[in-house]
Amino acid sequence: MKFLKKINSKAKSDANTGFGTNASSYGGRFITKSGNANVKKSGIGLFESISWYHTMLNIPRWKFLVIIGVFYFLVNFIFASLYYAVGVEHLNGITAITTLDKFGQAFFFSIQTFTTVGYGHISPSGFATSLVAAVEALFGLLSFAIATGLFYGRFSKPKAHIKFSENALIAPYKDGTALMLRLSPFKNTNLTDAEAKVTLGMKLDEKGILVNKFYSLDLELSKINALNLSWTLVHPITEISPLYNLTKEDYENIDGEFLVFLKVFDDMFSTTVVKRASYSFDEIVFGAKFLPMFSRSENQNKTVLHIDKLNLYEKIKL
């Protein structure tokens, strides 16, 4: 990967980005495609470095349900093993003869105790079995309280339901060119007071030393009152732009990245939500323009937003 040795001298770098300037200390992109910081923490214990609450709120739905299911059956397996070790003869009502059937009935008694259902045909007798049942009942109440909180947190957490185009474009704009990227809401939410910021991050060779340089890109529109349809962020490439005079080959060979920060007010939650995205230089399409993604409905009384057309563009000669 080549590094740019000279950038437009009229472009002013931004030092207040939160990213370091020592390029040799950085690996890969600054922000992942999904908008998360591309940082791996070390020098601290695993359990100290992970916020399990945030992790459980952010993991995909299927992983969350799998973890809940595995935890449920694993806990009941452990307690069933304890009942079996103490002796199933201390569980009144068990009629099983074989070892497998005895463990199976102990397992389902554990489920009844863990969930506090308690059908009643099996009951503990003796101090040891009653103690295990008491501990399991308490553990079950606490576990369901935590699981309920996590379910509520996942449902109630404000999210910016916004999609970004897969590629950013260098497209014709007035008498010149501009960097363009597109975003769109995709849920039935009302978003207002949207504000966007785009920052260019590059690794530059200054006197043989690699340094990170960041440039805030001026946008044609950085704020809009309502985000109901798609919004194309446009950075005109003028004489003061850090992208001025960059060629198609530069975008293909230079190590650079566009960082996109978006905040918008969601009136359903009555709070501001944020979304981030990132485009590396190899995700820039030089000489293209986006195709329209909304149209008039057949009965002429609504505007149809075609989310599946968010990434569509056509090549054009600059």
Side-chain angles (χ1 to χ4, degrees), residues 1 28-34 38 165-170 179 181 199-202 243 250-260 277-286:
M1 182 67 70
R29 58 202 303 163
F30 299 106
I31 293 179
T32 65
K33 192 64 177 175
S34 60
N38 189 29
S165 58
E166 293 181 358
N167 299 97
L169 312 179
I170 301 298
L179 171 75
L181 60 97
T199 299
L200 168 63
M202 300 184 69
L243 303 178
D250 290 330
Y251 288 102
E252 293 174 347
N253 298 316
I254 294 173
D255 191 3
E257 183 179 350
F258 296 98
L259 314 177
V260 187
S278 169
Y279 297 89
S280 59
F281 268 25
D282 58 5
E283 294 168 335
I284 307 300
V285 179
F286 192 91

Side-chain angles (χ1 to χ4, degrees), residues 169-207:
L169 312 179
I170 301 298
Y173 175 77
K174 295 184 179 179
D175 295 330
T177 58
L179 171 75
M180 298 186 184
L181 60 97
R182 189 158 64 176
L183 57 95
S184 175
F186 63 95
K187 293 280 189 179
N188 56 332
T189 54
N190 293 318
L191 304 176
T192 59
D193 300 323
E195 182 177 354
K197 180 180 180 181
V198 179
T199 299
L200 168 63
M202 300 184 69
K203 295 179 181 179
L204 303 182
D205 188 340
E206 291 188 350
K207 298 179 181 180

Side-chain angles (χ1 to χ4, degrees), residues 208-229:
I209 300 176
L210 288 181
V211 296
N212 291 329
K213 288 286 187 179
F214 298 91
Y215 301 86
S216 295
L217 303 185
D218 296 328
L219 299 178
E220 179 189 41
L221 285 176
S222 60
K223 297 180 181 180
I224 57 174
N225 293 331
L227 184 56
N228 299 318
L229 298 172

Side-chain angles (χ1 to χ4, degrees), residues 49-303:
S49 64
I50 297 177
S51 170
W52 295 106
Y53 178 73
H54 288 85
T55 300
M56 293 297 289
L57 291 187
N58 292 324
I59 59 176
R61 185 182 297 112
W62 71 270
K63 288 186 179 181
F64 177 78
L65 295 176
V66 167
I67 290 174
I68 294 295
V70 169
F71 175 81
Y72 177 77
F73 285 102
L74 180 61
V75 168
N76 281 288
F77 180 84
I78 292 173
F79 277 101
S81 300
L82 292 176
Y83 291 125
Y84 190 84
V86 171
V88 293
E89 64 272 10
H90 298 292
L91 293 176
N92 297 328
I94 285 187
T95 57
I97 299 176
T98 65
T99 300
L100 183 61
D101 287 340
K102 290 179 180 179
F103 185 84
Q105 291 197 21
F107 180 80
F108 287 108
F109 171 73
S110 172
I111 290 179
Q112 296 169 26
T113 305
F114 185 76
T115 58
T116 68
V117 173
Y119 291 119
H121 76 281
I122 299 177
S123 59
S125 65
F127 176 80
T129 306
S130 299
L131 178 61
V132 174
V135 171
E136 183 178 16
L138 176 62
F139 190 77
L141 289 172
L142 295 177
S143 298
F144 277 98
I146 294 173
T148 301
L150 291 173
F151 269 105
Y152 176 78
R154 290 180 63 89
F155 277 106
S156 62
K157 178 187 176 183
K159 293 182 180 179
H161 297 291
I162 295 171
K163 289 182 179 292
F164 287 88
S165 58
E166 293 181 358
N167 299 97
L169 312 179
I170 301 298
Y173 175 77
K174 295 184 179 179
D175 295 330
T177 58
L179 171 75
M180 298 186 184
L181 60 97
R182 189 158 64 176
L183 57 95
S184 175
F186 63 95
K187 293 280 189 179
N188 56 332
T189 54
N190 293 318
L191 304 176
T192 59
D193 300 323
E195 182 177 354
K197 180 180 180 181
V198 179
T199 299
L200 168 63
M202 300 184 69
K203 295 179 181 179
L204 303 182
D205 188 340
E206 291 188 350
K207 298 179 181 180
I209 300 176
L210 288 181
V211 296
N212 291 329
K213 288 286 187 179
F214 298 91
Y215 301 86
S216 295
L217 303 185
D218 296 328
L219 299 178
E220 179 189 41
L221 285 176
S222 60
K223 297 180 181 180
I224 57 174
N225 293 331
L227 184 56
N228 299 318
L229 298 172
S230 63
W231 183 16
T232 301
L233 301 181
V234 178
H235 165 64
I237 301 178
T238 63
E239 292 183 355
I240 62 173
S241 170
L243 303 178
Y244 190 64
N245 285 334
L246 291 187
T247 65
K248 179 181 179 181
E249 289 71 25
D250 290 330
Y251 288 102
E252 293 174 347
N253 298 316
I254 294 173
D255 191 3
E257 183 179 350
F258 296 98
L259 314 177
V260 187
F261 305 90
L262 177 72
K263 62 179 180 179
V264 62
F265 185 81
D266 189 332
D267 64 359
M268 177 62 68
F269 291 101
S270 190
T271 190
T272 298
V273 292
V274 298
K275 189 76 172 181
R276 294 171 295 273
S278 169
Y279 297 89
S280 59
F281 268 25
D282 58 5
E283 294 168 335
I284 307 300
V285 179
F286 192 91
K289 68 176 183 178
F290 285 113
L291 297 177
M293 62 175 296
F294 56 88
S295 61
R296 188 178 297 172
S297 63
E298 294 182 359
N299 55 11
Q300 310 291 309
N301 66 353
K302 283 186 179 296
T303 301

Side-chain angles (χ1 to χ4, degrees), residues 8-10 19 37 47 108 120 134 156 224 238 316:
N8 184 9
S9 59
K10 295 182 180 180
F19 296 96
F47 292 99
F108 287 108
S156 62
I224 57 174
T238 63
I316 190 171

Side-chain angles (χ1 to χ4, degrees), residues 3-14:
F3 301 101
L4 193 64
K5 294 185 178 181
K6 186 177 181 181
I7 199 167
N8 184 9
S9 59
K10 295 182 180 180
K12 296 182 179 179
S13 62
D14 187 358

